[in-house]
Amino acid sequence: MEPGQSIKESEESLPLLSPAPQYKILDLKTYFDGINGGAVFFRPTGNEYFLYNEILCDQPSSPCSTFKIVSSLIGLHEGEIVPRCIGTDFSG
């Protein structure tokens, strides 16, 4: 844009504003089977949030050990962790 030129006269395109986020409720009861929990999924291409147990998702809480998932994936990708099948009992 040239000095003194109005925005309407400019041929430069303005950045598009992101649409307002969309919130959609999911029914994941069968997957949570008696577990009091919630889930939030985000789809950046549509600026959409998918929520299960919306009330619980809206309450602040610490993320606990979610960083372990990312650390494990990085370790696998970099070859620092060798995949093995190991059976583990987990009671929650």
Side-chain angles (χ1 to χ4, degrees), residues 33-54:
D33 192 28
I35 298 171
N36 185 27
V40 179
F41 303 95
F42 177 64
R43 181 184 295 156
T45 56
N47 202 17
E48 298 171 293
Y49 290 88
F50 299 89
L51 308 166
Y52 168 69
N53 199 347
E54 182 181 12

Side-chain angles (χ1 to χ4, degrees), residues 5-80:
Q5 185 180 23
S6 75
I7 292 175
K8 289 182 181 179
E9 297 170 342
S10 172
E11 293 181 15
E12 294 177 31
S13 62
L14 297 173
L16 297 175
L17 298 175
S18 296
Q22 301 295 311
Y23 297 91
K24 298 178 181 178
I25 306 303
L26 300 174
D27 182 7
L28 302 176
K29 287 179 202 157
T30 56
Y31 300 102
F32 277 75
D33 192 28
I35 298 171
N36 185 27
V40 179
F41 303 95
F42 177 64
R43 181 184 295 156
T45 56
N47 202 17
E48 298 171 293
Y49 290 88
F50 299 89
L51 308 166
Y52 168 69
N53 199 347
E54 182 181 12
I55 293 170
L56 191 58
C57 290
D58 199 34
Q59 296 177 2
S61 63
S62 70
C64 300
S65 298
T66 56
F67 69 91
K68 291 178 183 175
I69 297 168
V70 176
S71 298
S72 298
L73 290 173
I74 292 169
L76 287 166
H77 184 266
E78 296 298 319
E80 296 296 322

